[in-house]
């Protein structure tokens, strides 16, 4: 017949192109899969998690509250938490800065240390250039170690230390005190305390001369 030859529709052309493209890509993908059939590298199995932190946080600025009132602020570059150790511990290996706040949210205590550990969320161990500045007592403490037992409410250290206050300067190799530093026990101590100049009119320390002989 003289009927003109029908040309393939646009849809048929597109399907034909996709079919040829698929027939070309499929062998390439199969070859690529065959070349990468090796399993990805895997680390060794961990038999004990004691040496691995459950959390590591960087650039930390944390507020700690007590009964809904902010009492402390902790700033550290790296904070690691271990939940499988005995006791559980937190590590601040790149230094720590702490502040204590009063009821009016004013910072009245500053603590810095090169390294810090906290065991069972109770016992703090500060090491390396430990410095405490208590604005309330006008007291500073410097040493390379300080322990703070929050459950017993005591500070103590077993290394040389220096305590400076307006009324005393104390040095020693061991000490223990309450959190307010009111009761202080020191070993191998040395220090100084200022004394007031004696009033020449004060005769309380003068002895009464004996009566003249009969």
């Amino acid at each position: 017949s003289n009927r003109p030859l029908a040309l393939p529709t646009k849809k048929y052309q597109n399907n034909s192109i996709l079919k040829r493209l698929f027939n070309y890509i499929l062998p390439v993908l199969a070859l690529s899969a065959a070349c990468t059939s090796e399993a990805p590298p895997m680390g060794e199995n961990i038999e004990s998690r004691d040496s691995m932190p459950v959390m590591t946080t960087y650039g930390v600025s944390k507020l700690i509250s007590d009964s809904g009132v902010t009492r402390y602020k902790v700033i550290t570059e790296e904070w690691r938490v271990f939940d499988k150790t005995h006791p559980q511990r937190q590590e601040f290996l790149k230094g720590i800065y702490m502040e204590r706040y009063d009821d009016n949210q004013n910072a009245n205590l500053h603590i810095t240390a090169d390294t810090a550990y906290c065991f069972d969320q109770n016992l703090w161990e500060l090491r390396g250039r430990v410095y405490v500045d208590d604005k309330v007592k006008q007291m500073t403490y410097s040493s390379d170690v300080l322990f703070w037992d929050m459950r017993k409410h005591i500070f103590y250290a077993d290394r040389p230390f220096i305590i400076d206050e307006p009324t005393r300067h104390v040095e020693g190799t061991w000490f223990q005190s309450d959190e307010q530093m009111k009761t202080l026990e020191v070993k191998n101590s040395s220090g100084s305390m200022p004394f007031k100049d004696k009033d020449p009119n004060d005769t309380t320390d003068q002895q009464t001369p004996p009566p003249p002989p009969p």
Side-chain angles (χ1 to χ4, degrees), residues 8 25 30 48 59 63 71 89 96 123 133 140 176 180 184 188:
I25 293 177
S48 175
L63 296 175
R71 290 301 183 187
R89 73 176 186 272
I96 191 171
L123 177 61
D133 184 5
T140 61
Q176 178 176 307
Q180 288 73 36
L184 187 65
N188 300 323

Side-chain angles (χ1 to χ4, degrees), residues 128-148:
R129 294 187 296 180
V130 180
Y131 186 75
V132 180
D133 184 5
D134 190 333
K135 301 298 184 182
V136 177
K137 290 187 60 62
Q138 296 182 331
M139 181 273 297
T140 61
Y141 170 92
S142 56
S143 177
D144 62 355
V145 67
L146 177 65
F147 295 93
W148 179 13

